[in-house]
Amino acid sequence: MCNHRVHFYEKNGRRFTVRIQSDRHGYSGRLLERLSDKDVVPASLNFPPQWEIDPTSFYKDRRRLRAELVRLINEELDAQRVSRLDAEGARNAQDPFIRANLKGWPNGFPGVVEDDLGDWIDVTPHWHAR
């Protein structure tokens, strides 16, 4: 199962769309900058948060970690640590993520907890629009 939610962010005259994706192993974000209602370009955080967490801890507290990823993305956007990308740069962009570190589980982790993002509103931090 793979689910996603699209979130809009605006501050300091810049507008972004953040696509948060959930799969059985974690969360990742894809960033686009909205230059106008018609013009959208790929963007990337300069220092994307990228966390791998012990799977027992990850699956036990998955919803809080999802909110944490959104908060960390928000902080990077607040600080304007984001760059517009061209097509070549977009292919090499590193997305922010928080996921279970499954290196010690070659056959998969037995305690996987899925997240369909159905409770998205409950864990979304307050987004700034200034």
Side-chain angles (χ1 to χ4, degrees), residues 35-46:
L35 304 177
S36 70
D37 288 339
K38 295 181 181 182
D39 296 318
V40 178
V41 296
S44 178
L45 298 174
N46 297 341

Side-chain angles (χ1 to χ4, degrees), residues 17-90:
T17 300
V18 183
R19 183 176 190 257
I20 302 293
Q21 181 170 304
S22 169
D23 65 26
R24 63 183 300 137
H25 304 301
Y27 305 99
S28 62
R30 179 58 52 105
L31 190 64
L32 296 170
E33 185 167 1
R34 303 182 63 77
L35 304 177
S36 70
D37 288 339
K38 295 181 181 182
D39 296 318
V40 178
V41 296
S44 178
L45 298 174
N46 297 341
F47 306 102
Q50 297 181 330
W51 292 5
E52 288 195 343
I53 298 170
D54 170 72
T56 302
S57 298
F58 179 83
Y59 292 115
K60 186 184 298 182
D61 207 8
R62 189 166 176 152
R63 289 176 57 211
R64 187 189 64 77
L65 292 168
R66 175 194 349 144
E68 183 66 9
L69 177 62
V70 174
R71 187 188 68 76
L72 292 169
I73 291 169
N74 192 43
E75 281 184 2
E76 292 300 305
L77 292 171
D78 279 347
Q80 299 281 313
R81 292 186 291 253
V82 60
S83 299
R84 289 181 191 140
L85 302 174
D86 58 16
E88 182 64 30

